[in-house]
Amino acid sequence: MKLDLLLQNADIVTMDPDRPTAESMGIWQGRIVGFDGDLAGLEATQVLDLGGTTITPGFIDAHCHTTWFGLGLAELDVSGARALAELYDLLRGAVSGGVEAGREQWLFATGFNQAHLDGAFPDIDELDRITGNRPFFMRHTSGHMAVVNTAALRLAGAGSPSFPDPDGGEIVRDAAGRPTGVVQETAQELIQQLILPYSLADIEAALERATKYYASEGITSFTEAGVGGGWIGHSPAELAAYQRAASNGRLHARAQVMPVLDILHGLNGHAADSPTTAPIGLDLGIATGFGDDFLSLGPAKVFLDGSLLGETAAVSHEFCSHGHKDNTGNKGYFQADPDQLRERIEAAYAAGWSIAAHAIGDRAIDLALDIITECQATYGPRRIPNRIEHASMTRPEQLPRLAGAGIAVTPQSSFFRDLGDAMTESLGPDRLAWAYRASSFLEAGVALAGSSDRPVADGNVLRGMQAFVDRMTESGAVFGNPAERLTPRQALTAYTSGAAAATGVLPDKGTLTPGKLADFTVLSGSPLQAPDISELRVLATAVGGRFTYQSTDFQAGLSPESPVLARISASHSA
């Protein structure tokens, strides 16, 4: 055998308990052959001397919104605004020519967060003065609300005070019944249906932009948390854009794609195929797990409730009033009638789908637990685990239920810094210990997957690991319970083997083990020893032994004249 690639002189953190460290690694046909002494006598087409830098398994983001992120990279970014005046100035600049007009002359903006503006929302009259008759759509950073202007509401036919709110959403109005420009949850779809669908070409380009960015941060795999429909989807043919991107070499990380439950439809198979319910799925009976190791279908994504930041999550105790916000009686709400949700989830499960239930509040987690455990009891477990997305407010008695049912969770540490202070105000001290658990999930035996929810929050994995370790907010406070902090090894596990287990792919990735896919990240130092993990640098990223990203320093080190990082030699004998 002649190896394709031999990596030498590296600090290899395998995350495999049977062989935790190594100094050299051999790769052939996209998979790991072995380490150190396993490679004796083997030749290699390429040999890299990594100069003592660190190799870890490739990072896995188990919950993100890649199309949305990629589209946002080409839109007006307002996330840096720290006052309404700054936000208005950014919009004026875009209208006057700073940003090209979007589809059908729409103005799109991304990254709005009222928590960065002292809780203030834009005034719709000022938005109208700035944008005129040009329709405007600005997505909130949470994804669970948006800000629009009168022109957009008029196009949607939703400008009248008497226009009814859709189920699971709200057109926010002032005391006189006039729309303020804020549309929450499913009310966003009234505006989005004017914009959608995006073309496959636009989505493919967005995927390329996004996954190039991912590669620069060490990400080799991700789960796209909702495509095809609802307010989170961008086209009924969104999976086709993924297939095109993969075929055209424009997808730079492995993708597991979750279709939203809304797009599943009735399947008229044999009566014996579903003894208790009419199944729903995709045509030909395609379900969770279909695909290959580069592009596959994950669980069906279903929204049970809203968000903590928007105070629309279904919680058991009302949100705290703060600032000018009176939350008396506000316990959030479900996205649909619970019985209807139960019926549709069971029908999807019966057709072979795993379930990924977006459940932020503890009341929503109760509902998710009840439905998923009932489905498992009736139809059996799934090879790709059922999941609760975010699991943001988890009561102590819910922990053993999650563990016993084998349900994975994806709490985002990336929320702590930018959103932690605002969520602390909403929750109050009595429930704060329930918020975004980490250590207690692991202690209970719950599979914990590292993820970002990007672009809702920062998607940088190194910063995400550090956030799991210190839980610091923007104000310098510790978010939630300090006992929920993870060790550096636990934090690295969350984004490698933990995420692989939660996405059902641990047999192929998540650890550096002979026979597994050669997905790895080269770092400037070890996250297990760094004083601050976020200060490490990603030097290179590889998927299947092929580099998807190389930093300038790493590329310079590949020069034959440079002794610093690497050496390449053809047909070198190991």
Side-chain angles (χ1 to χ4, degrees):
M1 173 189 289
K2 185 176 184 179
L3 299 172
D4 296 322
L5 177 64
L6 175 63
L7 304 170
Q8 294 182 322
N9 191 21
D11 171 25
I12 303 175
V13 181
T14 69
M15 302 306 288
D16 181 347
D18 293 334
R19 182 181 280 179
T21 62
E23 295 182 357
S24 61
M25 179 169 70
I27 296 167
W28 180 68
Q29 294 191 354
R31 291 188 178 263
I32 298 167
V33 172
F35 302 92
D36 298 345
D38 303 338
L39 309 174
L42 295 180
E43 295 184 342
T45 301
Q46 286 189 324
V47 179
L48 298 185
D49 181 334
L50 294 190
T53 55
T54 297
I55 295 177
T56 71
F59 299 151
I60 302 172
D61 187 334
H63 179 116
C64 55
H65 302 283
T66 304
T67 303
W68 172 11
F69 176 62
L71 291 169
L73 290 174
E75 295 174 351
L76 175 65
D77 182 4
V78 301
S79 60
R82 290 298 181 269
L84 281 177
E86 293 180 24
L87 174 63
Y88 295 147
D89 283 344
L90 288 171
L91 297 178
R92 290 189 189 96
V95 170
S96 65
V99 172
E100 293 184 4
R103 302 163 71 232
E104 304 299 326
Q105 301 300 307
W106 280 78
L107 175 61
F108 298 111
T110 188
F112 169 68
N113 182 357
Q114 82 280 7
H116 292 158
L117 308 174
D118 294 324
F121 284 83
D123 181 85
I124 193 169
D125 291 331
E126 185 62 25
L127 291 178
D128 291 344
R129 280 190 285 271
I130 294 170
T131 59
N133 291 322
R134 183 176 175 183
F136 170 63
F137 183 86
M138 179 169 65
R139 195 189 289 268
H140 190 271
T141 189
S142 70
H144 288 265
M145 69 175 83
V147 176
V148 301
N149 64 356
T150 298
L153 288 167
R154 187 182 304 119
L155 284 174
S160 167
S162 62
F163 188 88
D165 288 335
D167 289 341
E170 181 183 1
I171 302 169
V172 179
R173 296 173 171 85
D174 62 20
R178 180 171 174 258
T180 65
V182 177
V183 287
Q184 293 183 338
E185 304 297 348
T186 59
Q188 296 177 92
E189 295 180 43
L190 298 169
I191 309 301
Q192 288 176 307
Q193 67 186 359
L194 304 172
I195 303 164
L196 299 172
Y198 285 82
S199 71
L200 294 183
D202 284 346
I203 297 174
E204 184 180 352
L207 292 174
E208 181 172 42
R209 283 192 297 269
T211 56
K212 279 186 175 180
Y213 203 102
Y214 289 3
S216 73
E217 295 183 336
I219 295 170
T220 58
S221 294
F222 66 94
T223 296
E224 168 72 88
V227 301
W231 62 262
I232 203 65
H234 296 88
S235 166
E238 201 162 350
L239 183 61
Y242 265 93
Q243 290 181 296
R244 283 176 41 157
S247 296
N248 295 332
R250 302 180 74 182
L251 195 63
H252 304 287
R254 303 183 194 275
Q256 182 187 73
V257 179
M258 294 181 181
V260 296
L261 189 71
D262 299 350
I263 69 169
L264 305 188
H265 50 262
L267 299 176
N268 297 317
H270 192 280
D273 294 342
S274 180
T276 61
T277 186
I280 59 173
L282 297 182
D283 291 330
L284 301 177
I286 294 171
T288 299
F290 182 81
D292 57 26
D293 57 32
F294 200 82
L295 175 60
S296 64
L297 287 175
K301 170 76 176 294
V302 56
F303 287 91
L304 299 189
D305 68 345
S307 76
L308 280 184
L309 191 61
E311 297 176 341
T312 55
V315 293
S316 57
H317 299 81
E318 65 188 31
F319 290 101
C320 296
S321 299
H322 54 92
H324 300 292
K325 181 71 178 289
D326 181 7
N327 272 319
T328 302
N330 179 18
K331 295 183 180 180
Y333 49 85
F334 292 116
Q335 293 282 292
D337 177 77
D339 289 337
Q340 293 176 351
L341 288 168
R342 183 185 304 270
E343 181 180 348
R344 288 188 57 78
I345 291 171
E346 184 181 0
Y349 201 93
W353 288 92
S354 300
I355 298 298
H358 167 110
I360 297 279
D362 61 309
R363 192 156 53 97
I365 292 173
D366 279 335
L367 180 62
L369 277 166
D370 289 345
I371 295 174
I372 292 173
T373 54
E374 289 168 9
C375 286
Q376 290 181 163
T378 302
Y379 303 103
R382 291 285 179 257
R383 180 183 64 81
I384 294 179
N386 296 300
R387 300 169 36 160
I388 292 183
E389 306 306 298
H390 313 296
S392 308
M393 291 292 295
T394 311
R395 299 191 310 274
E397 66 271 21
Q398 292 172 325
L399 296 175
R401 290 193 67 195
L402 288 165
I407 297 172
V409 295
T410 62
Q412 285 76 33
S413 63
S414 51
F415 289 172
F416 302 161
R417 186 189 65 187
D418 293 336
L419 310 178
D421 290 325
M423 290 190 293
T424 297
E425 280 192 332
S426 294
L427 297 175
D430 293 341
R431 289 175 293 172
L432 200 53
W434 303 351
Y436 286 94
R437 294 177 182 272
S439 178
S440 59
F441 279 136
L442 296 179
E443 291 171 1
V446 179
L448 169 66
S451 68
S452 67
D453 204 19
R454 176 185 258 165
V456 174
D458 179 13
N460 183 286
V461 172
L462 293 172
R463 288 196 287 267
M465 280 193 265
Q466 182 61 35
F468 267 133
V469 171
D470 63 32
R471 298 181 68 92
M472 299 299 292
T473 71
E474 193 172 38
S475 69
V478 175
F479 179 70
N481 184 353
E484 294 291 349
R485 290 169 168 160
L486 298 184
T487 67
R489 180 172 290 278
Q490 289 172 327
L492 177 59
T493 298
Y495 287 97
T496 55
S497 58
T503 53
V505 294
L506 188 57
D508 277 320
K509 54 189 174 183
T511 67
L512 300 176
T513 301
K516 288 193 176 186
L517 295 165
D519 297 354
F520 61 89
T521 302
V522 183
L523 301 173
S524 59
S526 172
L528 305 183
Q529 300 170 358
D532 186 333
I533 300 171
S534 66
E535 293 183 355
L536 296 176
R537 291 179 297 118
V538 174
L539 301 178
T541 306
V543 174
R546 181 183 63 85
F547 286 107
T548 54
Y549 169 76
Q550 298 176 65
S551 70
T552 302
D553 288 346
F554 190 84
Q555 289 177 319
L558 299 184
S559 166
E561 291 77 25
S562 173
V564 177
L565 261 180
R567 285 284 187 267
I568 298 180
S569 59
S571 302
H572 182 85
S573 177

